[in-house]
Amino acid sequence: MADSTPRKFTRRNFIGWQIAVLLTSTVVIGLAPILVFIWPAPPKGQKKAVLQVSLPTPVDQLTAGDAVKFDAPTSPNSAFIMADGGGDNAAGELAFGGYVVKDQTGKVNVFAINCSHLGCSIALVKASTDHPETSFDCPCHGSRFHLDGTVLHGPAQDPLSHLTWSPGSDPKTINVDGMILGF
Ligand code: FES
């Protein structure tokens, strides 16, 4: 026959439970920041998306040494995701514009608009008598970049960041990896 006598709750049991509760809370409090760092919660109101962008000139009609600027869609509010980084830019950071460029070798690249020095927006400046090479120039501190994204003139020390892209459904569009913000 089973013993139905209730177990005595001794002083030793009480202290044991207190120690167990204390140890468990210490471990949970200690691990929580590490777990949040490893698995950060996605920012509220943001989700990754492939953004369709219209270009003023179709990619296949760009001549070597030419580039076209594009902006992130605003309806819904969106941004592009940098594929790589250097300097002030980093993979995963957001850009609100970019350039499709065909360099002198005919290679097509798509860059984020952010200067790698401190993030100002670069602009395409065509070659002229006092500007011997077509380049992406930054108005803030004078950095310049070759059309392949490498540094032509400092203070920037790192190349422009690429955007991940693919041809769109028609020649005037491209698809760029991005983020919809605030939906
Ligand atoms: S932010 Fe472009 S040169 Fe400083």
Side-chain angles (χ1 to χ4, degrees):
M1 192 172 151
D3 180 9
S4 60
T5 313
R7 288 178 123 193
K8 265 179 123 183
F9 195 72
T10 64
R11 182 183 163 85
R12 173 180 287 189
N13 283 347
F14 178 70
I15 291 172
W17 274 105
Q18 278 199 321
I19 290 173
V21 167
L22 192 66
L23 283 178
T24 307
S25 14
T26 304
V27 169
V28 168
I29 289 168
L31 281 182
I34 298 170
L35 292 176
V36 168
F37 180 77
I38 295 172
W39 293 292
K44 282 205 171 75
Q46 295 189 3
K47 70 175 177 192
K48 285 188 175 178
V50 175
L51 306 175
Q52 193 175 74
V53 176
S54 295
L55 301 173
T57 307
V59 175
D60 58 2
Q61 287 179 24
L62 283 176
T63 54
D66 206 1
V68 286
K69 179 176 173 289
F70 57 89
D71 296 316
T74 53
S75 180
N77 190 25
S78 310
F80 306 115
I81 299 173
M82 295 182 198
D84 49 24
D88 197 56
N89 295 338
E93 285 190 355
L94 301 181
F96 291 91
Y99 279 93
V100 180
V101 54
K102 187 178 270 187
D103 69 21
Q104 305 297 353
T105 69
K107 183 168 187 259
V108 175
N109 276 308
V110 179
F111 295 116
I113 199 166
N114 309 61
C115 174
S116 64
H117 179 225
L118 290 174
C120 291
S121 295
I122 54 165
L124 181 75
V125 180
K126 294 278 195 177
S128 62
T129 43
D130 53 354
H131 194 275
E133 176 179 335
T134 299
S135 57
F136 292 112
D137 293 5
C138 180
C140 289
H141 312 103
S143 292
R144 296 174 61 205
F145 301 86
H146 294 289
L147 294 186
D148 65 359
T150 55
V151 176
L152 168 63
H153 188 284
Q157 298 191 340
D158 298 274
L160 298 172
S161 290
H162 291 86
L163 299 176
T164 303
W165 71 287
S166 60
S169 51
D170 67 78
K172 271 194 138 181
T173 63
I174 57 170
N175 299 318
V176 184
D177 284 3
M179 183 88 78
I180 296 175
L181 311 167
F183 57 89

